[in-house]
């Protein structure tokens, strides 16, 4: 997968002529999709998997919406906003389904984070650091900003029983295995997944209560402590543990799995549409 | 208050000879305390306010401790750790009290965040930006990293009924009122609190569900949605809304208020010590 710099975009019409295999076929020909483009494909596939439901894909949610949702749960919440136009923009956007009461419900939120260029640098034979004499760059901490959007969406979904937030990680700061990369001059450089100067996954695991990564945690777990029920909202962290870029087909499959879990949790509120006669039109991403 | 660059430190012995008034007297003479130094004073005052209780102040908590606490609540939680020595370091540290079962319980966690140097730049007459022709610098987003430690401590305290996390904000990115600053040449520059290029408070309000700022939210609120009880863990955000530095006495007073709320919530678990005959020795910060 490439980051936002490339802007190749598949047309809606083109995709509407294809089934699921068609979607994966497109992926095979386009190894340069951004996470929001893969999410666009996920909307298409969800429309085919659930032809009686209506989906939309949008790239932002306003703080006003989040506050309004919080205030519905309790009047003390969602009261403060300094910038009236404030919004959040998870880079893969949000996918929602229209429920039987004509309310949009979130079924998928995705972000793809890339941190650590060591693999690319070594492959190119570039040394790094102030004196340009190191193989590896000490990892930064910008990834910690990811917690903000997770928390914003968790607040928006405080009244839901599911939390379909996926963080796709890529780069040398998110390895789960030790790997060796060969430089152009033939020298091998080892990247240890458990090196404190390299690995930054621990900076994110608070979002899933340090439950397993590469796992669909969409359905909220309820635990109890001293008689108090506590509903957890755990993001699902998926990482390219051996380095290298994400395969778009893998991303799409994970998105569909998590979104399908959301639809399962929401099924009571989608019931009348789910038992309706299928409409042959493919639901489009009218929210864009 | 100054940031970490200055390292003036009051000695424990020196403070132990003073009462509360003595502590505020020390503050009056030392307007250059870091947030951890103010927290040190808070421990002293708590020791005097609650002479039968034992407090400690420490600067870090390990991810292992957080994971162990999560795993106590449910065996699925707290399982993942890549760096065995991983820890978090809220800059004001953590204050804990020893409960009747000899367990340390968190009564206060503080961080002080400074972002936006516009007031200082204008007072010095320095223009900013690439061409050095602007009065104001577009605000950055590093403050979003604050969400990580809030979430880590929230996880550690998932089984508690209180969440004594204070974020003290300072700098031109956290104004709640519009102010005017005069340059050395006499020209006045207006800093609008509701300017999108300046205000970054909205980037933090997810930590308190957009409840009011400058408010003690230590005692957890429980709300219900669709019959499901949801326990909120809201950080308390305090900001210097008119610009300027924090007054250490104000910080200390806020710390004592929040820590006292923690002790009130924990009172059942501190009962035997609270009804014990007061010990005249001042509890020391043995955790440092």
């Amino acid at each position: 997968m490439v980051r936002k710099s490339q802007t190749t975009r598949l047309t809606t019409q083109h995709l509407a002529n294809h089934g699921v295999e068609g979607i994966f076929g497109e992926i095979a020909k386009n190894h340069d999709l951004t996470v929001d483009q893969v999410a666009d494909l996920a909307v298409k596939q969800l429309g085919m998997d659930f032809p009686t439901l209506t989906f939309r894909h949008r790239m932002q949610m306003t703080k006003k919406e989040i506050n309004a949702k919080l205030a519905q749960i309790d009047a003390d919440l969602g009261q403060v906003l300094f910038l009236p136009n404030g919004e959040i923009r998870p880079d893969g956007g949000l996918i929602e389904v229209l429920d039987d009461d004509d309310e949009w419900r979130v079924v998928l939120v995705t972000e793809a984070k890339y941190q650590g260029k060591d693999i690319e640098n070594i492959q190119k034979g570039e040394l790094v650091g102030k004196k340009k004499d190191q193989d590896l760059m000490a990892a930064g901490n910008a990834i910690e900003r990811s917690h903000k959007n997770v928390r914003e969406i968790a607040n928006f979904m405080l009244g839901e029983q599911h939390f379909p937030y996926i963080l796709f990680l890529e780069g040398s700061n998110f390895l789960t295995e030790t790997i060796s990369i060969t430089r152009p001059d033939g020298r091998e450089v080892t990247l240890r997944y458990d090196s404190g100067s390299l690995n930054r996954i621990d900076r994110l695991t608070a979002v899933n209560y340090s439950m397993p990564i590469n796992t669909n945690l969409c359905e909220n777990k309820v635990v109890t402590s001293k008689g108090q029920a506590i509903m957890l909202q755990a993001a699902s962290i998926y990482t390219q543990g051996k380095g290298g870029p994400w395969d778009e087909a893998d991303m799409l499959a994970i998105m569909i799995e998590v979104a399908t879990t959301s639809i399962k949790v929401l099924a009571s509120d989608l019931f009348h549409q789910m038992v309706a006669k299928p409409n042959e039109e493919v639901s489009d991403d009218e929210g864009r």
Side-chain angles (χ1 to χ4, degrees), chain A:
Chain A
M1 198 199 72
V2 290
R3 267 72 57 185
K4 281 280 188 177
S5 53
Q6 277 173 275
T7 52
T8 324
R9 186 170 288 275
L10 302 171
T11 68
T12 299
Q13 190 53 49
H14 186 69
L15 279 161
N17 298 332
H18 291 75
V20 177
E21 299 75 12
I23 287 174
F24 278 98
E26 285 306 320
I27 283 181
K29 281 182 273 174
N30 288 279
H31 273 293
D32 56 359
L33 302 178
T34 57
V35 62
D36 62 305
Q37 290 173 321
V38 179
D40 264 345
L41 298 180
V43 180
K44 309 295 171 208
Q45 188 171 333
L46 289 170
M48 285 181 282
D49 291 349
F50 303 97
T52 61
L53 299 180
T54 303
F55 298 92
R56 71 175 181 184
H57 182 200
R58 57 176 172 146
M59 294 309 294
Q60 71 290 314
M61 172 175 278
T62 66
K63 285 279 284 181
K64 273 185 185 161
E65 287 177 87
I66 296 168
N67 278 358
K69 192 70 85 172
L70 283 168
Q72 273 176 24
I73 290 177
D74 188 285
D76 288 347
L77 313 183
Q79 299 309 302
V80 172
L81 186 64
F82 287 89
L83 306 177
N85 298 323
E87 60 182 25
I88 63 163
R89 301 184 66 85
D91 59 11
L94 305 100
I95 299 177
E96 292 159 299
V97 67
L98 200 60
D99 74 10
D100 290 346
D101 295 322
D102 268 343
E103 299 261 355
W104 289 105
R105 308 283 287 274
V106 177
V107 298
L108 188 69
V109 184
T110 49
E111 292 225 60
K113 298 295 179 190
Y114 171 78
Q115 190 178 296
K117 295 192 295 183
D118 298 290
I119 295 170
E120 293 83 340
N121 288 339
I122 295 165
Q123 284 170 341
K124 285 187 281 183
E126 281 183 16
L127 294 177
V128 296
K130 278 185 186 168
K131 298 179 183 169
K132 301 284 177 201
D133 62 352
Q134 303 165 210
D135 286 317
L136 304 175
M137 183 74 92
N141 49 26
I143 194 66
E144 297 176 5
R145 292 178 46 227
S146 304
H147 286 272
K148 181 187 73 84
N149 280 356
V150 174
R151 180 68 185 256
E152 293 282 5
I153 298 289
N155 287 352
F156 184 79
M157 301 188 73
L158 196 60
E160 299 280 12
Q161 315 289 316
H162 68 297
F163 188 57
Y165 200 112
I166 303 178
L167 272 173
F168 289 106
L169 306 180
E170 178 181 328
S172 53
N173 294 164
F174 304 121
L175 300 177
T176 58
E177 299 180 29
T178 293
I179 60 171
S180 281
I181 306 291
T182 307
R183 284 167 46 92
D185 63 12
R187 180 164 62 85
E188 286 213 340
V189 179
T190 300
L191 278 69
R192 294 188 57 85
Y193 79 97
D194 57 355
S195 158
S197 64
L198 213 56
N199 195 309
R200 287 294 172 270
I201 302 178
D202 287 339
R203 306 290 179 102
L204 289 172
T205 50
V207 301
N208 71 2
Y209 311 91
S210 292
M211 285 195 279
I213 58 173
N214 298 322
T215 303
N216 172 8
L217 301 174
C218 171
E219 201 166 341
N220 289 355
K221 192 175 171 73
V222 178
V223 297
T224 52
S225 177
K226 297 172 192 158
Q228 167 80 57
I230 304 163
M231 188 190 71
L232 308 181
Q233 293 174 295
S236 301
I237 299 173
Y238 287 85
T239 186
Q240 281 298 318
K242 299 177 184 185
W246 269 95
D247 180 283
E248 288 87 343
D250 289 344
M251 285 186 118
L252 179 58
I254 292 166
M255 288 185 188
I256 295 298
E257 184 194 339
V258 170
T260 303
T261 303
S262 297
I263 293 164
K264 172 174 167 281
V265 174
L266 291 171
S268 297
D269 296 343
L270 304 170
F271 183 76
H272 293 299
Q273 295 172 80
M274 291 181 78
V275 297
K277 186 170 178 289
N279 175 340
E280 290 305 313
E281 285 176 35
V282 174
S283 303
D284 207 334
D285 54 341
E286 58 191 84
R288 298 299 292 270

